[in-house]
Amino acid sequence: MSSVVTVGADRSVSGGPTSVLAWSYTPPGHSSGLVIHLLSGWFPTVAEVVTVAVVLAAIGWRTRRWRVLWVPVAAAVGAVVAVIVYVILDARGLSPDSAPTLFWVWTVVGSAVVILTIVGIRSGRWWQHVSMAFAIVLAVFCLALSVNQWSGYYPTLDRAVAGLTAQPLPNETTVAKLVTFRNRPETVKNGRVVAIRTPSAISRFHPRTEYVYLPPAWFTGATPPPLPAVIMIGGVVNTPQDWVRSGDALAISDAYARDHGGRAPILVLVDPSGNLTTDTECVDGPRGNVDTHITDEVRPYVISHFGAASAARNWAVVGWSMGGTCAIDLVVRHPEKFATFVDISGDIGPNVGNKQSTIKALYGGDSRAWDRFDPATVMRAHGRYTDVAGWFRSEGHRSKKDGAIVSSQAEAARELSAIARSVGISTSERYSVGPHTWAFGAQSFAEALPWLHNRIDPGTVG
C-alpha cells in the first residue's frame, strides 16, 4: 500500500449512512529507515536487469549448433512449461489470466536455462557451468518476485525474511506472560499476540498453530473485559500468520486502538487449510471439517480462554479472497454465532472450479453439501435474518461501456449483496480499480474496521 487510508462515513446500499468513527491509518514503509519494497520500486527492477545480464552471459555465443538448435529448443520447452503451468493453475482455480507478464517471462526463461544447463554439461567450460548455475538461481528468484507481485504476499524484504524464517509475530508473547501486562498501560501501548492450540476432537481437523491478538483494552481491569472478536481468514495459499505479515492486521488494529482509547476487537487468526496449499473453502468435507472447527472449536476456545463476548452480535468474520467467501458463508450459515461479515474479494461461493468439480473435490461427490454451503442457496432457504450485516469490498478494472468496476469478485459481491438484502441482511458495497493482492486486502480491512467495530462492540461511541 502506498497511501494513507482515511476513513469517514460510508453509505450503506440497503439505505442510509452508516456512521463510523473517522480515523487515519498510515501503512508501514513510510519511515526514514531503509525499507526494501518487493512489490514495486528499485529492487525488483535491479534484480531483473542483473538476471537478464547474467542469463545472456551464461548462454553465450558458443557454437553454431548451440545458437541455431539448442537455444531455440530450450525456448520452446520453456514455452511448453508455461502452458502446462497455466493449465494447472486454471484447474486449481488460481486465475492464471491475472498473472503479471513477467511471471510467464521468468517461467519460460527459467525453464530454458535449466534445459541449456543440462545440454551444455559436456561442451561448456567450467566458468560457463558456474554462470549457468547463477543464472538458474537468479531466474528462480525473479520468478518468485513475480509471484509475490501477483499476490502481494510480502510487501517488503524484511517481511519476507520474517515469514520465510518463521520469526515471531510483532509483539508476540506467551499465554503465561499475559498476566504481567495487566493494568500496566505503559507497557501495553500496542496489543499482544499469543499462539494458541485449539481443540480438534469435534472436527478432527488438525490446524497449524493459530493466533489471537489482544488489544490494549484487554489488559485493563482486574479481569479481561468481554471484548468483541473477529475471525480472520486469508486466501488459498495461506498460513495463519498471513493477515499479519501480508495484511497488516495487527498494525491496523493497533493504530485504530490508539485512536479509540485502546479499544479494538480481539482478532482470531485461524487456519483454514491445515497446510500451505489445500483449498478447503472453509467447508466441511474430505479436505477437512473447517466450518465445524471454526464454529464449534475456535469460537468457544476464545470465549473461555480470553473472556471474549459470547453473543453473536459481538462476533464477526473477515476474509480476503478465499477468506472473503468463507466470511459470508460462515455468517449466513451460523447467524446464531456470527452477525457480521466483511467479504473482501470473495467468490460467489465455495468452489474449486465448476460446480461438478467442486462437488467432487470439496464434498466427496455429495451434491447435497453444495446446497448446505453455497451462500446464495443458504440465504434463500433460511429466509429473513435479524440484525445481520455485511460489508463487500471488491477490485477490478473499469468497464469501457458504463464505467462500472468489472471482475468475477465484483460480480459476485453485487449478486450476493442483492440476495442478502432480500432476506433482511444490511449490506454495504465498495468497488475500486486495482489488482487482486494482499495490499488491497489490507487497505480494505483498514477501511472496514471503524464500521465493523462500531457494529460489534457495544462499548464503542459513535
Side-chain angles (χ1 to χ4, degrees):
M1 296 186 295
S2 59
S3 61
V4 175
V5 176
T6 303
V7 183
D10 180 41
R11 183 161 295 278
S12 170
V13 171
S14 59
T18 302
S19 175
V20 296
L21 297 176
W23 76 296
S24 294
Y25 167 67
T26 303
H30 296 269
S31 63
S32 58
L34 176 62
V35 177
I36 298 178
H37 294 273
L38 299 181
L39 304 181
S40 61
W42 64 268
F43 183 78
T45 301
V46 169
E48 289 156 3
V49 169
V50 170
T51 301
V52 168
V54 172
V55 167
L56 291 176
I59 293 175
W61 198 243
R62 303 198 190 188
T63 66
R64 176 178 172 79
R65 180 180 177 82
W66 175 264
R67 299 191 302 271
V68 175
L69 176 62
W70 291 118
V71 171
V73 167
V77 172
V80 171
V81 170
V83 171
I84 294 172
V85 170
Y86 182 98
V87 171
I88 293 173
L89 293 177
D90 189 51
R92 294 182 63 86
L94 296 178
S95 304
D97 290 329
S98 65
T101 302
L102 283 175
F103 171 79
W104 303 111
V105 170
W106 291 116
T107 298
V108 173
V109 170
S111 303
V113 172
V114 170
I115 296 299
L116 290 173
T117 300
I118 296 172
V119 172
I121 286 177
R122 293 185 177 182
S123 60
R125 299 178 181 180
W126 69 268
W127 61 268
Q128 290 173 322
H129 297 325
V130 172
S131 61
M132 290 296 276
F134 273 113
I136 292 173
V137 171
L138 289 173
V140 170
F141 179 71
C142 285
L143 179 61
L145 277 177
S146 68
V147 171
N148 188 63
Q149 289 169 335
W150 183 10
S151 65
Y153 206 75
Y154 293 123
T156 60
L157 184 60
D158 61 325
R159 294 276 190 94
V161 171
L164 295 173
T165 58
Q167 294 179 16
L169 294 175
N171 293 316
E172 185 174 343
T173 187
T174 64
V175 173
K177 290 182 179 179
L178 289 177
V179 67
T180 65
F181 300 109
R182 182 149 301 283
N183 279 328
R184 295 181 62 190
E186 72 281 357
T187 66
V188 198
K189 294 181 180 179
N190 293 317
R192 291 294 185 270
V193 179
V194 292
I196 60 173
R197 284 289 183 182
T198 50
S200 58
I202 301 173
S203 68
R204 299 193 180 278
F205 173 72
H206 300 291
R208 293 162 291 179
T209 300
E210 297 173 308
Y211 297 85
V212 168
Y213 161 85
L214 303 168
W218 190 85
F219 297 92
T220 61
T223 59
L227 295 176
V230 179
I231 299 288
M232 305 289 290
I233 308 173
V236 172
V237 180
N238 74 82
T239 74
Q241 302 175 343
D242 288 350
W243 264 110
V244 180
R245 307 259 192 228
S246 308
D248 288 338
L250 301 194
I252 292 168
S253 295
D254 279 338
Y256 182 83
R258 283 193 294 272
D259 288 346
H260 297 86
R263 291 188 77 92
I266 294 171
L267 303 184
V268 188
L269 311 175
V270 301
D271 180 11
S273 302
N275 58 53
L276 187 64
T277 60
T278 297
D279 184 359
T280 69
E281 301 287 313
C282 301
V283 304
D284 286 350
R287 296 182 177 184
N289 295 323
V290 180
D291 180 283
T292 297
H293 171 65
I294 292 173
T295 57
D296 295 339
E297 292 170 342
V298 173
R299 186 180 184 277
Y301 182 92
V302 173
I303 293 171
S304 62
H305 284 73
F306 300 100
S310 59
R313 188 59 155 81
N314 304 126
W315 278 79
V317 187
V318 172
W320 173 77
S321 195
M322 179 195 77
T325 310
C326 297
I328 183 173
D329 211 21
L330 283 163
V331 172
V332 300
R333 277 178 45 77
H334 306 285
E336 77 287 356
K337 296 180 179 179
F338 310 101
T340 307
F341 64 84
V342 175
D343 177 350
I344 305 170
S345 301
D347 288 333
I348 191 67
N351 75 91
V352 290
N354 60 34
K355 184 173 182 178
Q356 183 178 2
S357 60
T358 297
I359 291 173
K360 180 180 179 181
L362 280 186
Y363 307 120
D366 182 2
S367 59
R368 294 171 299 179
W370 171 280
D371 292 338
R372 291 201 302 271
F373 290 96
D374 177 63
T377 305
V378 170
M379 286 188 284
R380 292 187 178 109
H382 180 279
R384 194 155 191 86
Y385 289 79
T386 302
D387 195 26
V388 175
W391 173 297
F392 291 94
R393 187 75 166 91
S394 295
E395 80 297 328
H397 64 275
R398 194 171 297 281
S399 170
K400 294 181 180 179
K401 181 179 180 180
D402 57 9
I405 301 301
V406 179
S407 68
S408 61
Q409 290 82 15
E411 293 308 309
R414 293 186 180 101
E415 182 174 343
L416 289 173
S417 183
I419 296 170
R421 292 196 304 274
S422 73
V423 291
I425 298 175
S426 174
T427 65
S428 296
E429 303 170 38
R430 286 190 172 189
Y431 305 93
S432 62
V433 174
H436 187 74
T437 66
W438 261 112
F440 180 83
Q443 182 180 21
S444 300
F445 175 58
E447 291 175 357
L449 182 55
W451 170 86
L452 173 66
H453 193 226
N454 227 31
R455 261 196 60 83
I456 66 177
D457 188 353
T460 301
V461 178

